[in-house]
Amino acid sequence: MIRDGGTPAAIEEAAGLLAAGELVAFPTETVYGLGADAGRDDAVAKIFAAKGRPSNHPLIVHVADASAVDRFASQVPAFASRLMQAFWPGPLTLILPRREGVATAAAGGQGSVGVRCPAHPVAHALLLACAGRDSPVHGLAGPSANKFGRVSPTTAAHVQAEFGDDLLVLDGGPCRVGIESTIVDCTRGVPVLLRPGVLTRDQVEAACGERLRSPSEVDESAPRASGTLESHYAPRARVRLMDARSLQTALDVLGQEAKGIAIYSRAIVNTPSPEVIRRRMPDDAQEAARQLFAVLRDFDMQGVGLIWVETPPDEPAWEGVRDRLQRASAD
Ligand code: TXA
Ligand code: MG
């Protein structure tokens, strides 16, 4: 069931369920999360089961503020502290060395733990309500609230469509950011970008005073991360990325015969077929990120078999959107 996350009664109900080891879906500024008490391995196991996600793929632990990090992390390097100060609450996840015996299932058994302080009033209210109980919950393990490999949800209705009506979903409106948080691994002495988001490289580097490395620069065996699998974030329809000219050529070749195809492009393309769905991708990268997953879901709902997307610009602001589209289009 969907409840208005802005009401104290809904927050209390959700906090009660979480304290009892149940799952609750909650809004964040990036995408909706599927939450469980990060401190309880039995509760966390329900997340892996519901998502159909391999249990060695670690989850992010959401905290109310930076002071809760020490409960989960054994050590916080100075550059990581600077990142927290600059971007929390906000769309940034830090991978830190894990405190032994804490959040073992949530961390997928890794020696590290991903921590993030979300900037959404409903998420914040929920985290505070969880922490302020007799048996407090200090962190919410929360992957994106979608089945493994699928498109992340950016509305409460998306979550309900994934998991049905038995799950309590706190409605916080459509997500402002729209793609998942930027993930920076802080366990290797230097910051490593595991997943790009809406924060640009420049912003992250300026805040932490270090160059952001890519996983291949540091170590071949980067930590297992679902979001870094080559194929991920995929709608049911097949996604293909191409430049505007190739898009137009492909439509020209099919002519009247074109059908079951959705086009998502910044350029205006033409087709004589009334059966092709066309939507304009915003020129602004942040706006494009905000809409991306809802647009992909919408195309799926309309039953197309193919989604042809114009490759986003090769510019820093577009790195997150480009990354998600590349994964959505990988076989
Ligand atoms: O914006 C977000 O980050 C959303 C919202 C709900 O906060 N959450 C999210 O969670 O995207 P999820 O589980 O769908 O993606 C988290 C990513 C995965 O790729 C996971 O493998 C990686 O973070 N991750 C988590 N802990 C890790 C760790 N200890 N080491 C390496 N990667 C980790
Ligand atoms: Mg996910």
Side-chain angles (χ1 to χ4, degrees), residues 32 34 46-54 143-153 158-164 167 180 226 231-236 297:
Y32 277 71
L34 183 62
K46 294 178 185 171
I47 294 182
F48 288 105
K51 278 184 66 92
R53 171 156 156 166
S144 51
N146 53 276
K147 296 282 168 67
F148 181 61
R150 295 288 170 194
V151 177
S152 297
H158 292 165
V159 181
Q160 196 176 41
E162 292 274 330
F163 296 106
L167 175 69
E180 305 80 357
S226 299
S231 169
H232 209 68
Y233 309 112
R236 279 172 221 295
R297 273 176 189 270

Side-chain angles (χ1 to χ4, degrees), residues 8 12 26 56 64 73 82 101 116 118 156 163-164 185 194 198 205 227 231 241 251-252 284 299 322 324 327:
E12 270 313 305
F26 61 99
N56 59 354
R82 292 196 287 274
R116 162 163 128 81
F163 296 106
D185 185 357
L194 294 188
V198 292
E205 291 183 343
S231 169
L241 275 174
L251 285 171
D252 289 345
D284 177 63
F299 287 154
R322 236 184 13 253
R324 300 310 185 278
R327 294 182 204 287

Side-chain angles (χ1 to χ4, degrees), residues 52-102:
R53 171 156 156 166
S55 60
N56 59 354
H57 284 207
L59 311 175
I60 292 173
V61 177
H62 298 75
V63 293
D65 54 53
S67 71
V69 168
D70 292 333
R71 290 182 177 277
F72 298 98
S74 58
Q75 189 225 330
V76 180
F79 71 85
S81 298
R82 292 196 287 274
L83 287 175
M84 286 181 209
Q85 241 163 40
F87 299 113
W88 280 9
L92 175 72
T93 297
L94 301 177
I95 310 297
L96 296 163
R98 180 164 59 93
R99 210 173 257 288
E100 210 171 317
V102 177

